[in-house]
Amino acid sequence: MKDYLIYFAQAYPNFRRAELESLADLHKIHLDLSNHDEKNPFMIVQLENDDQAKKILERSILARGIYELWGHGTTYEELHNDVKEKSPDKFEIYKHKTFKFNFEGFMGSRSRNERVQIIESFGYLAFKGSIDLKNPQEIYTVLEEYKVSGMEKADTPLNIWFGRQIQLSARMNNILDKYELKRRKYIGTTSFDAELSLVTCNVAQVGPGKIAYDPFTGTGSFLVTAANFGALPIGSDIDVRMLKGKGPQCNIKRNFKQYGTLGQYIDVLTMDFTNHAFRPDFVIDTIVCDPPYGVREGLRVCGAKNPEKAAGREHHEIDGEKAHLRRDFIPPKKPYELANLLHDLLQFAADRLPVDGRLAFWMPTANDDFQPNIIPQHKNLELLYNLEQEFNKWSRRLLVYVKRDESYNGETINGLKEQNIKNFRERYFRGFNEQSRT
C-alpha cells in the first residue's frame, strides 16, 4: 500500500466522504475514509497503486486532485528531510521523465520568485529529464496549507506536502462550467443545481451502460448529468408541459444534443410513476430524483377524488368514441401526500432495482423539527447516507439507499406523516419564524 494525498474543494464538505466511498465501491476498491475531517481540505489515504487513485478521483466533483505522497513537513527543511528519508527509491524511477512543478495553496499563495526558489530547493532530486510546461510526463506538486486568523492571511504555511500528481478530478476539468444551468438550453424554475446533481449521480453510482431513471424528470437535470457518466437515462413526469418544453429547440432532448450525449438518451414518458407503463422485465439499475415537495402546490397522481362519480363517466363518448380512449384525453388527478409518495418510491425501488442497485432522492425537513425517525425505511433497502444541505431554517436531505438480497433483515417505516408536510408547507411560507400548532 502507498500513501496518497487528496486535496478537496471547499464545497459541501459533509458530502465528500459519501462521494469518494461510493466511487471507490463502484470500482471495487477498498478506501478507508474513517479519519476524514470536514474542516481539513487535505487527507492522506492508502491505496495499492496509481490506477486505483485515478479511478476514484477522475469523476469526483468534491475533490480537486490526488497525489502520490513523497513527503510532508511544517517547514521546507522538514519537508526535504522527509522526502529524502521516505522516497529516495522514487528518484531513480522518474529520473529521465519530462516534468514540471506546480503549486497549490490553500488560503495562501507564493510569488513567482518564491516559487522559483522553492523549486531550486528540490535540486537533490537530480532529475535528468527536460522541463516541459505544456505536456510533461510527470507533474510534481507542492501543496501548502495556510492558517487564516481573522481577516489576515498567514505568511507562513502550517503544513507543506510534496507529491507526484496522479489525477485531477472532473471538477478541475471544467465539468461545473459545462453543466452550469445558465448555459443550458432548457431549464425551468425547478431545475436542479448542476454541482449537486453530479454529486448525487456519483453517490448513486450511476455508471456506463446502466439505466438511470428519474420518475420526476421536470426539465431533466438528473438525466443529463447521468448521461455524463455514461448512463442510459430514462425519465417520466406527470406534467407533459415540462417534458415537451418550449418547442423543438428548447426541450429535454435539446439538452442532450447540447452535451453530445443524445446517443445515450432513451426517452421521457408522460406518466405517473405509481401507475407506470414499464414492462415487468425492464431493468432499472439506478434511481435518482428530486421528488416534488408539494410546497407551492399540492402533489397529484392519476386517479379520481370521487371514484364512484368517475365510474359513471366510463362510458362517456365524444363523436362516437369513448372519451378516455381519445388522444386528447386528460386523465383526472387526485391529491397525493409526500409521505405516501416516498413510501411508493421506496417500494418501487425495492421491486425494480437489482441487488446492490441504488436509490438516491432529496427530501425537505425543518431544521428545528427534524427527527431521524421521519426518514422512510424499507425492509429490502439499506439507508447508506443521510446528507444534509442546510438553508438556515430548513434543509433538504440527500437520502441514499442500496437494494440488499434476501438475507437483509430491515424494516419498513413510514415516519413522515401528513401533518409533518402540512407544518413544513405552512412554516415555509412564514419563513420558519414559529412552530406550527399540531
Side-chain angles (χ1 to χ4, degrees), residues 108 134 178 302 314:
K134 292 186 176 180
K178 176 181 179 180
C302 290
E314 182 178 350

Side-chain angles (χ1 to χ4, degrees), residues 13-43:
N14 57 319
F15 285 66
R16 292 176 187 163
R17 179 173 176 176
E19 185 193 43
L20 289 189
E21 283 182 345
S22 298
L23 292 176
D25 180 72
L26 179 65
H27 295 288
K28 309 302 180 186
I29 297 171
H30 173 72
L31 179 65
D32 183 5
L33 294 177
S34 58
N35 293 323
H36 172 252
D37 181 356
E38 294 179 6
K39 297 179 181 179
N40 195 329
F42 299 97
M43 182 179 185

Side-chain angles (χ1 to χ4, degrees), residues 57-58 64-67 104 165-170 172-173:
L57 255 286
E58 62 185 352
R64 295 170 60 91
I66 189 167
Y67 307 83
E104 294 286 352
Q165 179 181 299
I166 303 301
Q167 179 70 49
L168 294 182
S169 69
M172 301 305 292
N173 287 305

Side-chain angles (χ1 to χ4, degrees), residues 176-389:
L176 299 186
D177 185 59
K178 176 181 179 180
Y179 286 97
E180 170 63 46
L181 290 180
K182 293 180 181 179
R183 300 174 182 271
R184 194 172 298 175
K185 297 294 183 181
Y186 175 50
I187 62 171
T189 56
T190 60
S191 294
F192 204 85
D193 170 78
E195 183 173 9
L196 282 177
S197 180
L198 290 160
V199 171
T200 301
C201 287
N202 272 341
V203 181
Q205 295 186 333
V206 170
K210 291 185 176 182
I211 293 178
Y213 173 51
D214 181 354
F216 316 100
T217 296
T219 59
S221 296
F222 287 109
L223 299 188
V224 294
T225 50
N228 176 80
F229 296 124
L232 306 175
I234 183 170
S236 67
D237 202 294
I238 198 170
D239 188 349
V240 66
R241 296 169 300 176
M242 298 294 288
L243 301 183
K244 283 186 174 181
K246 303 173 184 178
Q249 297 303 316
C250 190
N251 55 28
I252 292 175
K253 192 173 183 179
R254 185 64 182 83
N255 285 344
F256 283 89
K257 289 182 179 178
Q258 176 183 351
Y259 297 121
T261 53
L262 186 58
Q264 297 161 231
Y265 173 63
I266 297 179
D267 207 346
V268 289
L269 310 172
T270 304
M271 70 179 188
D272 161 17
F273 95 99
T274 64
N275 296 278
H276 64 81
F278 294 129
R279 65 178 188 264
D281 60 346
F282 182 72
V283 176
I284 295 173
D285 298 295
T286 312
I287 301 171
V288 286
C289 58
D290 180 32
Y293 304 154
V295 171
R296 299 199 176 276
E297 58 180 87
L299 301 176
R300 296 288 186 272
V301 292
C302 290
K305 293 182 181 179
N306 188 334
E308 294 182 1
K309 186 176 180 180
R313 298 176 180 175
E314 182 178 350
H315 301 292
H316 180 63
E317 295 185 356
I318 301 177
D319 296 332
E321 184 180 5
K322 288 187 177 181
H324 69 276
L325 297 179
R326 292 172 59 90
R327 290 183 63 84
D328 60 355
F329 175 72
I330 300 176
K333 299 178 178 65
K334 62 181 180 180
Y336 189 43
E337 295 298 332
L338 180 60
N340 296 331
L341 180 150
L342 297 184
H343 171 79
D344 289 343
L345 179 60
L346 264 65
Q347 185 60 56
F348 179 87
D351 293 339
R352 286 284 173 166
L353 291 175
V355 173
D356 294 331
R358 293 195 177 190
L359 161 68
F361 68 88
W362 291 81
M363 186 185 84
T365 57
N367 292 343
D368 59 2
D369 207 22
F370 173 74
Q371 297 178 5
N373 62 7
I374 73 172
I375 300 298
Q377 305 279 357
H378 190 281
K379 62 180 181 180
N380 301 126
L381 303 173
E382 180 184 356
L383 178 65
L384 293 181
Y385 301 109
N386 171 11
L387 307 172
E388 180 183 17
Q389 182 191 17

